[in-house]
Amino acid sequence: MLILDTGIREELKIVEKDLAEYLRAEGNASQVGDILRDVSLSGGKRLRPQLLLLAAQFGPFYKEKKERLCSLAALIEMVHAASLIHDDIVDDSPMRRGRPSIQSKYGKDRAVYAGDLVLSRIVKELFKGGFYQVGGLFGQAVEEMCIGELGQMQCLFDAETTVEQYIKNIDGKTAALCRLACAAGALESGAAQETAAQLILFGECFGRMFQIRDDLLDFVSDASSEGKLVRTDFREGILTLPVLYAVKTEAGGKPIRALLEKALRGQFSDADSEELVRLVRESGGIQDAKRELGRYAASANEALQGLPPCRARDILAGLVARMIQE
Amino acid sequence: MLILDTGIREELKIVEKDLAEYLRAEGNASQVGDILRDVSLSGGKRLRPQLLLLAAQFGPFYKEKKERLCSLAALIEMVHAASLIHDDIVDDSPMRRGRPSIQSKYGKDRAVYAGDLVLSRIVKELFKGGFYQVGGLFGQAVEEMCIGELGQMQCLFDAETTVEQYIKNIDGKTAALCRLACAAGALESGAAQETAAQLILFGECFGRMFQIRDDLLDFVSDASSEGKLVRTDFREGILTLPVLYAVKTEAGGKPIRALLEKALRGQFSDADSEELVRLVRESGGIQDAKRELGRYAASANEALQGLPPCRARDILAGLVARMIQE
């Protein structure tokens, strides 16, 4: 899913070249070189670079600044890569995108520095490229991501977590980088202030949708989806949106709390997993989460309506449509 | 040790104010606020800010740029703080500067994001303050620190590590930030190119001395020094310079390798620790490390000789003298 025909194939090739360049391992015959190579080969859908380049098309300087925009697109993908390296430490993830995670291949200790290394390369390139207008936004987004992750940790195993707190957490965890993509693209290509504001709003809504859709996938697919083990989140104490709605109902409240207790004690079985799915479904958690997803889709589309009609706008609208597809 | 009378007391007060501002926790009633408060209260000798401000005195714009220089000095201390947070994860350090480390207080997972959070604040402030000339050097220094730490990990429990590799590792681990302090101070205050080059050379030599002196302290003091447990490095497989020299001697080679084997198996006792000290002393490891320290002191002083005589130069020379004091 989300393999886009965004009409920016040529640009994405430049992004790949830039990524390889920024993650170059020259002169590092040692393990540092191996780590950088693994990061640069780790693939991914390049969603954030695509968002950035699409947003940039609303500015007057897209064509003459194409090279610079591709550089920024590569750098935003590196922010994502660095965050995944550190997230995998915290989540003990053995795999990432079908390959061993950095933490499982090199150990958690090395993964700490590997993530820092990627972050340091981003900072270097932001200054080297003279990205003075948007560089600070990169720092801002990383800060929000950290706050989101820390916020989520504070909510672990806590059935009292509010939907508001959940949204706050995913705003950092997921939406911050989508917002950054839209902001950096729009500002670097010289988009008007009002246009940039609409694009940033779009990025935020889209980011929230992206996370909620991911949450939902865990409940509508029975096997593992996108390499992620089903219901891993719950096992680790993360209450995703469908669960959060379900646990607030009279029918779901007590039994889901009991399952959460089991998860906390590390006794959450496969049968429990099935039971959880049944409870969340029956208490309307999935419907409620879908409704929330729909609300953000409406907001995202509203933001798009504030933008001049063009191919990029159609593609962004298509992205929104895909996120609410069954 | 290293409490300096560097004549910049007023500036250091501004640095403390800036630090508090950059690590402000406003609007973060949650754990994020607690973490930031702990980081900002964690103290330290502010050696790197002092180096930066002293180096800056060799430029013509010290006075008119004092505020900006103090900001940079605060930011370099934050790089140090962020690196300590991540180092403590790797080293399982329970304490840091007489207080519980972030990792022991909040757990390793949160400490990963806490370090990232501090790094993100630095990036934000570098762009916000318009530190375009030196911002990239911050990224460069963090990269070098990561490479140094990863290099050191690769050398763990390896008696074949060369002195050259050791120097490469400490260049990243410790010297990179001292070099950055000198470079950032000199460049921001408009020092001439040749002056900046001498200061950077000084910073590198001083950084190496700082680490070697720290290595030596572990063998000349019997009790814990500066809150650090004696011979912890060896227990963890880190071969510091005195050990590295000793293990290359005929007398020390075999028995030290045997002790390293014990450390690897987690069986390194207090008696072994005493034995290690004896072996390193008797095989001349301490003398050799002191000789190396002396060589860097000579280089550091040579770099200072290339600078115009002034109070700042005297203070830097005094710093070097302290590093080779018994």
Side-chain angles (χ1 to χ4, degrees), chain A residues 58 304-314:
Chain A
F58 292 87
L304 291 179
Q305 286 307 310
L307 295 170
C310 60
R311 178 152 157 70
R313 194 180 81 164
D314 293 344

Side-chain angles (χ1 to χ4, degrees), chain A residues 16 49 110 125 158 180 209 236 238 243 258 275 286 302:
Chain A
E16 293 303 318
R110 283 175 177 84
E125 296 297 336
D158 181 4
L180 171 65
M209 292 179 74
E236 291 171 357
I238 300 172
V243 180
E275 172 70 359
I286 289 170
E302 204 180 298

Side-chain angles (χ1 to χ4, degrees), chain A residues 249-267:
Chain A
T249 63
E250 213 176 309
K254 231 173 157 179
I256 293 178
R257 277 165 210 265
L259 290 174
L260 202 56
E261 273 294 315
K262 290 185 88 173
L264 184 58
R265 293 195 305 269
Q267 296 165 346

